[in-house]
Amino acid sequence: MLGPNGAGKSTLFGLLTRLFTPRAGGIFVAGHDLARNPYAALQLIGVVFQQPTIDLDLTVRRNLLYFAALHGLAGRRAEMRVTAVLERLGMAERAGERAGALNGGHRRRMEIARALIHRPSVLLLDEPTVGLDAAARVAIVDHVHRLAAEDRLTVLWATHLVDEIRPPDRLVILHRGRVLDTGEAGEIGGGDLSGRFIALTGAHS
Amino acid sequence: MNVAPDRDAFAPHRPEVLNVVDADDLDGDVRRKAAHALSHRAAVALGAILKREALRFLGQRGRLLAALVRPLVWLIVFAAGFRAALGLSITPPYQTYITYEIYITPGLVGMILLFNGMQSSLSLVYDREMGSMRLLLTAPPPRWWLLACKLVAGSLISVLQAYVFLAVAAAWGIRFTLGGYLAAFPAIMLAALMVGALGLVLSSFIRQLENFAGVMNFVIFPVFFLSSALYPLWKMAEASPRLRDICAVNPFTHAVELIRFALHAKSEPLALAVTIVALAVFGAGAIWGYDPARELAGRKIQ
Protein backbone atom coordinates (compact mmCIF):
# COMPACT_ATOMS: atom_id res chain seq x y z
CA MET A 1 0.00 0.00 0.00
CA LEU A 2 1.56 3.19 -1.20
CA GLY A 3 0.46 6.60 -0.04
CA PRO A 4 1.96 9.97 0.86
CA ASN A 5 1.88 11.26 4.42
CA GLY A 6 -1.70 11.90 5.50
CA ALA A 7 -3.11 9.32 3.09
CA GLY A 8 -4.84 7.46 5.92
CA LYS A 9 -2.45 4.53 6.18
CA SER A 10 -2.06 4.65 9.95
CA THR A 11 -5.78 5.21 10.43
CA LEU A 12 -6.42 2.09 8.37
CA PHE A 13 -4.00 0.16 10.59
CA GLY A 14 -5.79 1.42 13.69
CA LEU A 15 -9.06 0.15 12.24
CA LEU A 16 -7.62 -3.20 11.13
CA THR A 17 -6.21 -3.87 14.59
CA ARG A 18 -9.35 -2.65 16.38
CA LEU A 19 -7.64 0.18 18.18
CA PHE A 20 -10.79 1.93 17.16
CA THR A 21 -13.82 0.80 15.22
CA PRO A 22 -15.22 2.20 11.98
CA ARG A 23 -18.38 4.30 12.11
CA ALA A 24 -19.75 2.60 9.02
CA GLY A 25 -18.86 -0.56 7.15
CA GLY A 26 -17.24 -3.74 8.36
CA ILE A 27 -13.82 -5.39 8.39
CA PHE A 28 -13.31 -9.08 7.72
CA VAL A 29 -10.02 -10.81 8.44
CA ALA A 30 -9.78 -14.16 6.62
CA GLY A 31 -13.54 -14.51 6.95
CA HIS A 32 -13.86 -13.31 10.54
CA ASP A 33 -15.88 -10.22 11.30
CA LEU A 34 -13.64 -7.97 13.39
CA ALA A 35 -16.64 -6.37 15.07
CA ARG A 36 -18.53 -9.56 15.84
CA ASN A 37 -15.68 -11.88 16.65
CA PRO A 38 -12.60 -9.80 17.45
CA TYR A 39 -10.82 -12.63 19.26
CA ALA A 40 -10.71 -14.89 16.23
CA ALA A 41 -9.90 -12.05 13.85
CA LEU A 42 -7.10 -10.55 15.96
CA GLN A 43 -5.63 -14.01 16.43
CA LEU A 44 -5.00 -14.14 12.68
CA ILE A 45 -3.26 -10.77 12.51
CA GLY A 46 0.38 -10.09 13.18
CA VAL A 47 1.17 -6.39 13.30
CA VAL A 48 4.25 -4.18 13.29
CA PHE A 49 3.34 -0.61 14.10
CA GLN A 50 5.17 2.40 12.78
CA GLN A 51 6.25 3.40 16.26
CA PRO A 52 8.36 0.78 18.04
CA THR A 53 6.56 -1.10 20.81
CA ILE A 54 9.37 -2.73 22.76
CA ASP A 55 10.26 -2.99 26.44
CA LEU A 56 13.80 -1.74 26.12
CA ASP A 57 14.83 -2.95 29.58
CA LEU A 58 13.84 -6.55 28.92
CA THR A 59 15.73 -9.08 26.81
CA VAL A 60 14.63 -9.93 23.30
CA ARG A 61 13.40 -13.30 24.53
CA ARG A 62 11.36 -11.79 27.38
CA ASN A 63 9.77 -9.28 25.03
CA LEU A 64 8.69 -12.09 22.74
CA LEU A 65 7.48 -14.32 25.56
CA TYR A 66 5.32 -11.49 26.93
CA PHE A 67 3.71 -11.07 23.54
CA ALA A 68 3.30 -14.82 23.13
CA ALA A 69 1.47 -14.95 26.46
CA LEU A 70 -0.89 -12.16 25.41
CA HIS A 71 -1.82 -14.53 22.61
CA GLY A 72 -2.30 -17.42 25.02
CA LEU A 73 1.02 -19.17 24.45
CA ALA A 74 3.01 -20.24 27.49
CA GLY A 75 5.59 -22.70 28.69
CA ARG A 76 7.65 -24.88 26.40
CA ARG A 77 5.48 -24.20 23.40
CA ALA A 78 6.03 -20.47 23.72
CA GLU A 79 9.78 -21.02 24.14
CA MET A 80 9.89 -23.16 21.00
CA ARG A 81 7.91 -20.66 18.96
CA VAL A 82 10.12 -17.79 20.11
CA THR A 83 13.25 -19.71 19.15
CA ALA A 84 11.73 -20.63 15.81
CA VAL A 85 10.70 -17.09 14.80
CA LEU A 86 14.01 -15.62 15.92
CA GLU A 87 15.79 -18.17 13.75
CA ARG A 88 13.47 -17.37 10.86
CA LEU A 89 14.49 -13.70 11.04
CA GLY A 90 18.17 -14.49 11.61
CA MET A 91 18.06 -13.18 15.17
CA ALA A 92 18.63 -16.39 17.15
CA GLU A 93 21.96 -15.34 18.62
CA ARG A 94 20.45 -12.11 19.99
CA ALA A 95 17.74 -13.72 22.11
CA GLY A 96 19.51 -13.00 25.38
CA GLU A 97 20.40 -9.41 24.59
CA ARG A 98 18.64 -6.46 26.14
CA ALA A 99 16.28 -5.05 23.53
CA GLY A 100 17.62 -1.57 24.23
CA ALA A 101 21.09 -2.69 23.11
CA LEU A 102 19.91 -3.62 19.60
CA ASN A 103 20.30 -1.28 16.65
CA GLY A 104 17.26 0.03 14.79
CA GLY A 105 17.30 -2.64 12.08
CA HIS A 106 17.49 -5.48 14.58
CA ARG A 107 14.74 -3.98 16.72
CA ARG A 108 12.50 -3.93 13.68
CA ARG A 109 13.40 -7.51 12.83
CA MET A 110 12.61 -8.48 16.38
CA GLU A 111 9.21 -6.83 16.06
CA ILE A 112 8.53 -8.72 12.85
CA ALA A 113 9.59 -11.97 14.55
CA ARG A 114 7.26 -11.11 17.41
CA ALA A 115 4.36 -10.51 15.05
CA LEU A 116 4.80 -14.05 13.70
CA ILE A 117 4.86 -15.95 17.01
CA HIS A 118 1.16 -16.82 17.01
CA ARG A 119 1.36 -17.90 13.34
CA PRO A 120 -0.95 -15.29 11.87
CA SER A 121 -2.19 -15.57 8.32
CA VAL A 122 -2.01 -11.82 7.76
CA LEU A 123 1.00 -9.65 8.55
CA LEU A 124 0.46 -5.89 8.79
CA LEU A 125 3.42 -3.52 8.65
CA ASP A 126 2.97 0.23 8.99
CA GLU A 127 5.98 1.97 7.42
CA PRO A 128 8.35 -0.53 9.02
CA THR A 129 11.53 0.99 7.58
CA VAL A 130 11.08 4.49 9.00
CA GLY A 131 14.31 5.70 10.56
CA LEU A 132 16.46 2.82 9.31
CA ASP A 133 19.65 3.15 7.24
CA ALA A 134 19.75 1.92 3.65
CA ALA A 135 21.28 -1.49 4.38
CA ALA A 136 18.78 -2.27 7.15
CA ARG A 137 15.93 -1.14 4.91
CA VAL A 138 16.94 -3.47 2.11
CA ALA A 139 17.33 -6.33 4.59
CA ILE A 140 13.83 -5.81 6.03
CA VAL A 141 12.24 -5.49 2.59
CA ASP A 142 13.98 -8.73 1.53
CA HIS A 143 12.93 -10.57 4.67
CA VAL A 144 9.29 -9.69 4.35
CA HIS A 145 9.16 -10.50 0.64
CA ARG A 146 10.64 -13.89 1.47
CA LEU A 147 8.02 -14.44 4.19
CA ALA A 148 5.26 -13.72 1.70
CA ALA A 149 6.76 -16.01 -0.94
CA GLU A 150 7.92 -18.94 1.20
CA ASP A 151 5.42 -18.99 4.08
CA ARG A 152 2.49 -17.95 1.92
CA LEU A 153 1.75 -15.16 4.33
CA THR A 154 -0.55 -12.32 3.29
CA VAL A 155 1.38 -9.11 3.85
CA LEU A 156 0.01 -5.57 3.95
CA TRP A 157 2.97 -3.22 3.82
CA ALA A 158 2.28 0.49 4.11
CA THR A 159 4.91 2.87 2.81
CA HIS A 160 5.49 6.15 1.07
CA LEU A 161 8.75 4.92 -0.44
CA VAL A 162 8.43 3.65 -4.00
CA ASP A 163 11.72 1.72 -3.95
CA GLU A 164 10.34 -0.74 -1.39
CA ILE A 165 7.90 -2.06 -3.96
CA ARG A 166 8.80 -4.78 -6.46
CA PRO A 167 7.11 -5.10 -9.84
CA PRO A 168 5.16 -8.32 -9.07
CA ASP A 169 3.77 -6.93 -5.77
CA ARG A 170 0.07 -6.20 -5.61
CA LEU A 171 -0.26 -2.50 -5.00
CA VAL A 172 -2.89 -0.10 -3.71
CA ILE A 173 -2.27 3.62 -4.02
CA LEU A 174 -4.00 5.53 -1.25
CA HIS A 175 -4.37 9.29 -1.06
CA ARG A 176 -6.45 11.29 1.42
CA GLY A 177 -8.45 8.24 2.41
CA ARG A 178 -9.30 7.24 -1.17
CA VAL A 179 -7.96 4.42 -3.35
CA LEU A 180 -6.53 5.99 -6.50
CA ASP A 181 -5.32 2.85 -8.22
CA THR A 182 -4.91 -0.85 -7.58
CA GLY A 183 -3.22 -3.72 -9.38
CA GLU A 184 0.19 -5.21 -9.96
CA ALA A 185 2.91 -2.67 -9.27
CA GLY A 186 4.66 -3.37 -12.58
CA GLU A 187 1.48 -2.71 -14.54
CA ILE A 188 0.51 0.45 -12.66
CA GLY A 189 3.94 2.00 -12.87
CA GLY A 190 5.19 0.65 -16.15
CA GLY A 191 8.88 1.52 -15.98
CA ASP A 192 8.43 4.52 -13.72
CA LEU A 193 6.30 3.86 -10.64
CA SER A 194 7.71 6.89 -8.87
CA GLY A 195 6.66 9.26 -11.63
CA ARG A 196 3.25 7.64 -11.89
CA PHE A 197 2.77 7.92 -8.10
CA ILE A 198 3.66 11.59 -8.08
CA ALA A 199 1.41 12.27 -11.06
CA LEU A 200 -1.54 10.43 -9.49
CA THR A 201 -1.32 12.03 -6.05
CA GLY A 202 -0.46 15.42 -7.54
CA ALA A 203 -3.53 15.37 -9.76
CA HIS A 204 -5.78 14.82 -6.75
CA SER A 205 -4.46 17.48 -4.43
CA MET B 1 -6.74 -9.32 3.83
CA ASN B 2 -10.00 -10.67 2.60
CA VAL B 3 -12.49 -7.87 2.41
CA ALA B 4 -15.37 -9.95 1.10
CA PRO B 5 -17.32 -11.70 3.85
CA ASP B 6 -18.14 -14.73 1.70
CA ARG B 7 -15.61 -17.01 3.42
CA ASP B 8 -17.98 -17.10 6.37
CA ALA B 9 -20.01 -19.51 4.31
CA PHE B 10 -17.54 -22.28 4.98
CA ALA B 11 -18.57 -22.81 8.58
CA PRO B 12 -21.64 -20.77 9.36
CA HIS B 13 -22.78 -22.66 12.46
CA ARG B 14 -19.48 -23.49 14.06
CA PRO B 15 -18.36 -21.23 16.90
CA GLU B 16 -15.62 -19.15 15.36
CA VAL B 17 -13.61 -19.53 18.51
CA LEU B 18 -12.37 -22.83 17.09
CA ASN B 19 -9.86 -20.89 15.11
CA VAL B 20 -7.98 -19.76 18.17
CA VAL B 21 -6.81 -23.31 18.77
CA ASP B 22 -3.78 -24.54 16.92
CA ALA B 23 -4.38 -27.52 14.74
CA ASP B 24 -1.09 -29.03 15.86
CA ASP B 25 -2.18 -30.12 19.30
CA LEU B 26 -5.84 -30.88 18.83
CA ASP B 27 -7.49 -34.21 18.98
CA GLY B 28 -10.80 -35.33 20.43
CA ASP B 29 -13.53 -32.91 21.43
CA VAL B 30 -12.61 -29.81 19.51
CA ARG B 31 -15.37 -27.62 20.83
CA ARG B 32 -14.73 -28.34 24.48
CA LYS B 33 -11.03 -27.85 24.00
CA ALA B 34 -11.70 -24.52 22.32
CA ALA B 35 -13.72 -23.28 25.29
CA HIS B 36 -11.08 -24.53 27.66
CA ALA B 37 -8.34 -22.93 25.60
CA LEU B 38 -10.06 -19.56 25.77
CA SER B 39 -10.08 -19.45 29.57
CA HIS B 40 -6.58 -20.89 29.63
CA ARG B 41 -5.43 -18.15 27.30
CA ALA B 42 -7.05 -15.50 29.47
CA ALA B 43 -5.14 -16.87 32.46
CA VAL B 44 -1.87 -16.94 30.50
CA ALA B 45 -2.38 -13.30 29.54
CA LEU B 46 -3.01 -12.38 33.19
CA GLY B 47 0.15 -14.18 34.24
CA ALA B 48 2.20 -12.38 31.59
CA ILE B 49 0.89 -8.94 32.56
CA LEU B 50 1.53 -9.60 36.26
CA LYS B 51 5.04 -10.78 35.45
CA ARG B 52 5.80 -7.75 33.31
CA GLU B 53 4.61 -5.31 35.97
CA ALA B 54 6.60 -7.18 38.63
CA LEU B 55 9.75 -7.11 36.48
CA ARG B 56 9.29 -3.43 35.83
CA PHE B 57 8.70 -2.73 39.50
CA LEU B 58 11.85 -4.62 40.48
CA GLY B 59 13.72 -2.70 37.79
CA GLN B 60 12.80 0.59 39.45
CA ARG B 61 13.89 0.18 43.05
CA GLY B 62 13.69 3.92 43.50
CA ARG B 63 9.95 3.63 43.16
CA LEU B 64 9.61 1.45 46.24
CA LEU B 65 11.89 3.76 48.18
CA ALA B 66 9.98 6.89 47.15
CA ALA B 67 6.69 5.22 47.92
CA LEU B 68 7.96 4.44 51.42
CA VAL B 69 9.78 7.64 52.26
CA ARG B 70 6.76 9.87 51.67
CA PRO B 71 4.38 8.25 54.19
CA LEU B 72 7.21 7.60 56.66
CA VAL B 73 8.09 11.28 56.71
CA TRP B 74 4.45 12.06 57.42
CA LEU B 75 4.31 9.43 60.10
CA ILE B 76 7.46 10.42 61.89
CA VAL B 77 7.59 14.18 61.42
CA PHE B 78 4.06 15.36 60.78
CA ALA B 79 2.35 13.03 63.24
CA ALA B 80 4.80 13.86 66.01
CA GLY B 81 4.09 17.53 65.62
CA PHE B 82 0.36 17.09 65.43
CA ARG B 83 0.10 14.76 68.35
CA ALA B 84 0.38 17.74 70.68
CA ALA B 85 -1.99 19.96 68.73
CA LEU B 86 -4.75 17.47 68.16
CA GLY B 87 -6.85 15.85 70.85
CA LEU B 88 -8.55 12.66 69.73
CA SER B 89 -11.65 11.39 71.45
CA ILE B 90 -12.65 7.77 71.58
CA THR B 91 -14.64 6.96 68.45
CA PRO B 92 -15.04 3.57 66.74
CA PRO B 93 -13.03 1.50 66.01
CA TYR B 94 -10.97 2.79 68.93
CA GLN B 95 -11.86 1.68 72.43
CA THR B 96 -9.24 3.63 74.25
CA TYR B 97 -7.25 6.78 73.78
CA ILE B 98 -4.85 6.39 70.90
CA THR B 99 -1.87 8.33 69.71
CA TYR B 100 -2.12 10.35 66.55
CA GLU B 101 0.37 7.99 64.89
CA ILE B 102 -2.09 5.14 65.29
CA TYR B 103 -4.83 7.30 63.82
CA ILE B 104 -2.86 8.45 60.81
CA THR B 105 -1.37 5.06 59.81
CA PRO B 106 -4.40 3.79 57.84
CA GLY B 107 -4.57 7.18 56.14
CA LEU B 108 -0.96 6.85 55.11
CA VAL B 109 -1.61 3.35 53.79
CA GLY B 110 -4.33 5.02 51.73
CA MET B 111 -1.77 7.60 50.60
CA ILE B 112 0.52 4.84 49.33
CA LEU B 113 -2.36 3.28 47.40
CA LEU B 114 -3.39 6.63 45.99
CA PHE B 115 0.09 7.60 44.82
CA ASN B 116 0.69 4.15 43.44
CA GLY B 117 -2.64 4.13 41.63
CA MET B 118 -1.75 7.45 40.02
CA GLN B 119 1.73 6.14 39.25
CA SER B 120 0.19 3.20 37.38
CA SER B 121 -2.03 5.64 35.57
CA LEU B 122 1.06 7.65 34.67
CA SER B 123 2.78 4.53 33.41
CA LEU B 124 -0.26 3.82 31.23
CA VAL B 125 0.01 7.23 29.65
CA TYR B 126 3.73 6.57 29.24
CA ASP B 127 2.98 3.12 27.78
CA ARG B 128 0.68 4.78 25.33
CA GLU B 129 3.35 7.19 24.20
CA MET B 130 5.86 4.36 23.97
CA GLY B 131 3.45 2.16 22.07
CA SER B 132 3.32 -0.82 24.43
CA MET B 133 -0.28 0.07 25.26
CA ARG B 134 -1.04 -0.47 21.60
CA LEU B 135 0.53 -3.89 21.78
CA LEU B 136 -1.67 -4.72 24.74
CA LEU B 137 -4.90 -3.34 23.31
CA THR B 138 -4.50 -5.10 19.97
CA ALA B 139 -4.00 -8.48 21.67
CA PRO B 140 -6.90 -10.88 21.14
CA PRO B 141 -8.35 -11.12 24.69
CA PRO B 142 -11.26 -8.73 25.36
CA ARG B 143 -10.22 -5.26 26.35
CA TRP B 144 -12.02 -5.28 29.69
CA TRP B 145 -10.01 -8.36 30.62
CA LEU B 146 -6.71 -6.76 29.61
CA LEU B 147 -7.56 -3.65 31.62
CA ALA B 148 -8.58 -5.79 34.61
CA CYS B 149 -5.24 -7.60 34.41
CA LYS B 150 -3.41 -4.28 34.44
CA LEU B 151 -5.50 -3.13 37.40
CA VAL B 152 -4.87 -6.28 39.43
CA ALA B 153 -1.14 -6.16 38.69
CA GLY B 154 -0.85 -2.54 39.82
CA SER B 155 -2.97 -3.18 42.92
CA LEU B 156 -0.87 -6.14 44.04
CA ILE B 157 2.21 -3.94 43.85
CA SER B 158 0.37 -1.30 45.93
CA VAL B 159 -0.55 -3.87 48.55
CA LEU B 160 3.04 -5.06 48.74
CA GLN B 161 4.20 -1.50 49.35
CA ALA B 162 1.49 -0.93 51.96
CA TYR B 163 2.67 -3.97 53.92
CA VAL B 164 6.31 -2.92 53.72
CA PHE B 165 5.20 0.44 55.14
CA LEU B 166 3.23 -1.29 57.92
CA ALA B 167 6.29 -3.36 58.74
CA VAL B 168 8.48 -0.27 59.01
CA ALA B 169 5.80 1.42 61.10
CA ALA B 170 5.74 -1.62 63.38
CA ALA B 171 9.48 -1.31 63.82
CA TRP B 172 8.85 2.33 64.79
CA GLY B 173 6.47 1.11 67.47
CA ILE B 174 3.10 1.46 65.72
CA ARG B 175 1.71 -2.03 65.93
CA PHE B 176 -1.60 -3.68 65.31
CA THR B 177 -2.71 -7.20 66.15
CA LEU B 178 -1.93 -10.12 63.86
CA GLY B 179 -5.66 -10.44 63.18
CA GLY B 180 -5.69 -6.79 62.17
CA TYR B 181 -2.83 -7.27 59.73
CA LEU B 182 -4.60 -10.25 58.18
CA ALA B 183 -8.02 -8.57 58.00
CA ALA B 184 -6.38 -5.54 56.40
CA PHE B 185 -5.28 -7.54 53.36
CA PRO B 186 -8.65 -7.71 51.57
CA ALA B 187 -9.41 -4.15 52.68
CA ILE B 188 -6.14 -2.78 51.29
CA MET B 189 -6.54 -4.80 48.09
CA LEU B 190 -10.07 -3.50 47.56
CA ALA B 191 -9.00 0.09 48.26
CA ALA B 192 -6.04 -0.35 45.88
CA LEU B 193 -8.34 -1.64 43.13
CA MET B 194 -10.67 1.31 43.67
CA VAL B 195 -8.01 4.02 43.40
CA GLY B 196 -6.31 2.03 40.61
CA ALA B 197 -9.56 2.04 38.64
CA LEU B 198 -9.75 5.81 39.17
CA GLY B 199 -6.24 5.99 37.74
CA LEU B 200 -7.34 3.95 34.72
CA VAL B 201 -10.21 6.33 34.05
CA LEU B 202 -7.87 9.30 34.26
CA SER B 203 -5.30 7.65 32.00
CA SER B 204 -7.92 7.20 29.30
CA PHE B 205 -8.55 10.94 29.28
CA ILE B 206 -5.09 12.37 29.76
CA ARG B 207 -3.53 13.01 26.41
CA GLN B 208 0.06 13.58 27.31
CA LEU B 209 2.58 12.88 29.97
CA GLU B 210 3.08 16.57 30.64
CA ASN B 211 -0.47 16.95 31.87
CA PHE B 212 0.23 14.58 34.68
CA ALA B 213 1.47 17.26 37.05
CA GLY B 214 -1.98 18.82 36.76
CA VAL B 215 -3.54 15.53 37.73
CA MET B 216 -1.38 15.40 40.81
CA ASN B 217 -2.61 18.81 41.89
CA PHE B 218 -6.23 18.38 40.94
CA VAL B 219 -6.78 14.78 41.97
CA ILE B 220 -4.32 13.47 44.52
CA PHE B 221 -4.25 16.45 46.86
CA PRO B 222 -7.99 17.14 47.12
CA VAL B 223 -8.75 13.43 47.35
CA PHE B 224 -6.20 12.97 50.11
CA PHE B 225 -6.82 16.12 52.14
CA LEU B 226 -10.61 16.04 51.83
CA SER B 227 -10.78 12.67 53.52
CA SER B 228 -10.51 11.16 56.96
CA ALA B 229 -6.89 10.20 56.32
CA LEU B 230 -5.41 12.97 58.45
CA TYR B 231 -8.27 14.08 60.73
CA PRO B 232 -11.42 12.33 61.86
CA LEU B 233 -14.63 13.63 60.35
CA TRP B 234 -15.93 15.05 63.65
CA LYS B 235 -12.78 17.14 63.87
CA MET B 236 -13.48 18.42 60.35
CA ALA B 237 -17.04 19.28 61.40
CA GLU B 238 -15.65 21.56 64.11
CA ALA B 239 -13.87 23.53 61.43
CA SER B 240 -16.69 23.56 58.89
CA PRO B 241 -19.77 21.33 58.52
CA ARG B 242 -19.61 21.73 54.77
CA LEU B 243 -16.03 20.49 54.70
CA ARG B 244 -17.13 17.49 56.72
CA ASP B 245 -19.89 16.72 54.20
CA ILE B 246 -17.46 16.86 51.31
CA CYS B 247 -15.14 14.48 53.16
CA ALA B 248 -18.04 12.16 53.95
CA VAL B 249 -18.92 11.66 50.28
CA ASN B 250 -15.31 11.21 49.16
CA PRO B 251 -14.90 7.50 48.31
CA PHE B 252 -11.31 7.72 49.48
CA THR B 253 -12.58 8.49 53.01
CA HIS B 254 -14.44 5.22 52.93
CA ALA B 255 -11.45 3.32 51.58
CA VAL B 256 -9.36 4.71 54.47
CA GLU B 257 -12.07 3.89 57.02
CA LEU B 258 -12.31 0.37 55.60
CA ILE B 259 -8.58 -0.09 56.17
CA ARG B 260 -8.76 1.58 59.59
CA PHE B 261 -11.48 -0.75 60.86
CA ALA B 262 -9.81 -3.78 59.27
CA LEU B 263 -6.50 -3.00 60.97
CA HIS B 264 -8.39 -3.22 64.25
CA ALA B 265 -10.00 -6.45 63.04
CA LYS B 266 -13.41 -4.83 62.73
CA SER B 267 -15.73 -4.39 59.80
CA GLU B 268 -17.41 -1.25 58.50
CA PRO B 269 -20.29 -2.19 56.16
CA LEU B 270 -20.90 1.35 54.88
CA ALA B 271 -17.23 1.89 53.99
CA LEU B 272 -17.14 -1.52 52.33
CA ALA B 273 -20.26 -0.79 50.29
CA VAL B 274 -19.09 2.65 49.18
CA THR B 275 -15.67 1.32 48.17
CA ILE B 276 -17.20 -1.50 46.13
CA VAL B 277 -19.65 0.85 44.41
CA ALA B 278 -16.85 3.31 43.65
CA LEU B 279 -14.76 0.47 42.21
CA ALA B 280 -17.68 -0.57 40.00
CA VAL B 281 -18.26 3.00 38.80
CA PHE B 282 -14.58 3.70 38.07
CA GLY B 283 -14.19 0.26 36.47
CA ALA B 284 -17.11 0.95 34.14
CA GLY B 285 -15.65 4.37 33.42
CA ALA B 286 -12.31 2.82 32.47
CA ILE B 287 -13.95 0.33 30.12
CA TRP B 288 -15.89 3.17 28.56
CA GLY B 289 -12.79 5.33 28.33
CA TYR B 290 -10.93 2.59 26.44
CA ASP B 291 -13.88 1.50 24.29
CA PRO B 292 -12.64 1.14 20.69
CA ALA B 293 -15.97 2.46 19.44
CA ARG B 294 -15.06 5.83 20.91
CA GLU B 295 -13.01 6.98 18.03
CA LEU B 296 -11.28 9.57 20.17
CA ALA B 297 -9.91 6.91 22.50
CA GLY B 298 -8.34 5.11 19.57
CA ARG B 299 -6.90 8.24 18.07
CA LYS B 300 -5.28 9.08 21.35
CA ILE B 301 -3.67 5.66 21.45
CA GLN B 302 -2.48 6.20 17.91
Side-chain angles (χ1 to χ4, degrees):
Chain A
M1 181 169 60
L2 183 63
N5 294 330
K9 301 189 294 288
S10 291
T11 304
L12 180 63
F13 273 74
L15 289 169
L16 292 176
T17 53
R18 205 170 169 269
L19 272 178
F20 41 88
T21 51
R23 253 180 266 157
I27 296 167
F28 289 81
V29 181
H32 294 283
D33 187 340
L34 191 57
R36 249 185 50 232
N37 196 355
Y39 198 111
L42 290 174
Q43 196 75 33
L44 295 172
I45 296 179
V47 60
V48 177
F49 286 106
Q50 190 173 340
Q51 195 189 14
T53 54
I54 301 177
D55 274 329
L56 297 177
D57 299 328
L58 303 183
T59 62
V60 171
R61 174 177 291 279
R62 275 233 172 279
N63 264 289
L64 266 62
L65 284 174
Y66 169 67
F67 182 82
L70 286 182
H71 283 77
L73 294 165
R76 264 181 58 77
R77 244 177 68 187
E79 297 270 357
M80 280 162 58
R81 293 273 188 99
V82 167
T83 309
V85 290
L86 284 176
E87 250 161 41
R88 187 79 184 84
L89 273 290
M91 293 272 295
E93 69 281 10
R94 309 208 175 255
E97 276 181 39
R98 217 169 52 83
L102 299 181
N103 66 32
H106 283 124
R107 283 187 202 180
R108 265 293 124 125
R109 253 200 254 178
M110 173 193 133
E111 286 190 291
I112 295 172
R114 187 178 61 186
L116 297 174
I117 289 178
H118 56 294
R119 297 187 182 153
S121 47
V122 180
L123 178 63
L124 307 177
L125 303 109
D126 188 6
E127 304 204 16
T129 57
V130 162
L132 300 185
D133 61 37
R137 266 184 59 199
V138 171
I140 299 268
V141 172
D142 278 349
H143 264 296
V144 174
H145 273 94
R146 207 174 310 138
L147 285 173
E150 292 170 12
D151 299 2
R152 300 181 58 209
L153 197 65
T154 303
V155 175
L156 179 63
W157 173 293
T159 185
H160 62 270
L161 300 167
V162 173
D163 60 353
E164 290 175 357
I165 299 161
R166 296 180 180 171
D169 293 347
R170 279 174 62 193
L171 178 67
V172 173
I173 296 181
L174 195 69
H175 184 48
R176 298 192 171 174
R178 285 183 22 241
V179 173
L180 294 188
D181 204 350
T182 166
E184 210 166 90
E187 286 170 15
I188 292 179
D192 179 24
L193 183 59
S194 185
R196 175 89 180 116
F197 175 51
I198 291 167
L200 263 177
T201 51
H204 285 82
S205 50
Chain B
M1 189 70 36
N2 179 20
V3 183
D6 57 358
R7 279 205 196 163
D8 246 346
F10 280 112
H13 301 300
R14 287 274 184 94
E16 284 167 305
V17 142
L18 292 187
N19 275 284
V20 303
V21 179
D22 284 322
D24 50 9
D25 58 312
L26 262 189
D27 45 29
D29 186 345
V30 175
R31 204 164 302 196
R32 218 196 65 228
K33 283 202 172 190
H36 170 76
L38 204 60
S39 59
H40 172 70
R41 271 150 198 260
V44 168
L46 172 64
I49 293 169
L50 290 179
K51 202 161 160 188
R52 174 171 182 262
E53 296 299 314
L55 281 174
R56 272 173 40 143
F57 180 70
L58 292 176
Q60 320 168 323
R61 296 220 177 98
R63 199 169 134 194
L64 176 65
L65 207 62
L68 278 179
V69 165
R70 198 180 303 114
L72 283 174
V73 166
W74 280 75
L75 185 67
I76 291 161
V77 182
F78 182 84
F82 259 63
R83 174 197 258 172
L86 198 77
L88 287 178
S89 73
I90 302 171
T91 51
Y94 307 117
Q95 288 161 335
T96 170
Y97 281 105
I98 48 145
T99 63
Y100 186 59
E101 282 95 332
I102 289 281
Y103 180 83
I104 201 182
T105 298
L108 294 177
V109 169
M111 175 193 248
I112 292 175
L113 304 182
L114 188 62
F115 269 88
N116 215 49
M118 294 307 125
Q119 181 106 39
S120 308
S121 152
L122 167 79
S123 81
L124 280 174
V125 178
Y126 176 80
D127 273 1
R128 201 159 59 204
E129 292 200 343
M130 295 314 285
S132 45
M133 194 65 185
R134 203 173 309 173
L135 201 65
L136 184 71
L137 293 183
T138 55
R143 241 179 224 200
W144 64 265
W145 174 253
L146 296 168
L147 291 173
C149 290
K150 268 278 203 208
L151 180 58
V152 169
S155 300
L156 282 173
I157 287 170
S158 291
V159 172
L160 180 73
Q161 291 180 355
Y163 271 97
V164 173
F165 167 73
L166 285 174
V168 177
W172 185 253
I174 299 152
R175 298 201 176 92
F176 300 88
T177 62
L178 182 64
Y181 284 122
L182 291 176
F185 180 78
I188 295 175
M189 184 67 191
L190 186 63
L193 287 171
M194 192 270 278
V195 294
L198 173 64
L200 270 180
V201 176
L202 292 173
S203 73
S204 73
F205 293 102
I206 302 168
R207 270 194 96 99
Q208 273 149 6
L209 221 46
E210 295 85 68
N211 300 342
F212 198 71
V215 174
M216 295 288 259
N217 291 323
F218 286 104
V219 176
I220 293 190
F221 291 119
V223 163
F224 182 67
F225 288 113
L226 292 173
S227 78
S228 59
L230 296 179
Y231 324 101
L233 289 183
W234 63 264
K235 200 82 190 168
M236 287 276 189
E238 280 177 10
S240 149
R242 188 173 299 162
L243 205 59
R244 187 215 158 267
D245 293 342
I246 294 174
C247 296
V249 297
N250 181 355
F252 186 68
T253 295
H254 294 277
V256 168
E257 290 308 305
L258 186 68
I259 296 168
R260 187 190 310 288
F261 276 75
L263 275 172
H264 292 276
K266 296 199 170 90
S267 69
E268 221 304 43
L270 175 68
L272 180 65
V274 173
T275 310
I276 289 174
V277 169
L279 168 60
V281 169
F282 294 145
I287 291 169
W288 182 75
Y290 279 100
D291 183 356
R294 282 180 63 239
E295 202 180 346
L296 201 68
R299 292 219 186 280
K300 267 189 274 175
I301 295 160
Q302 275 277 312

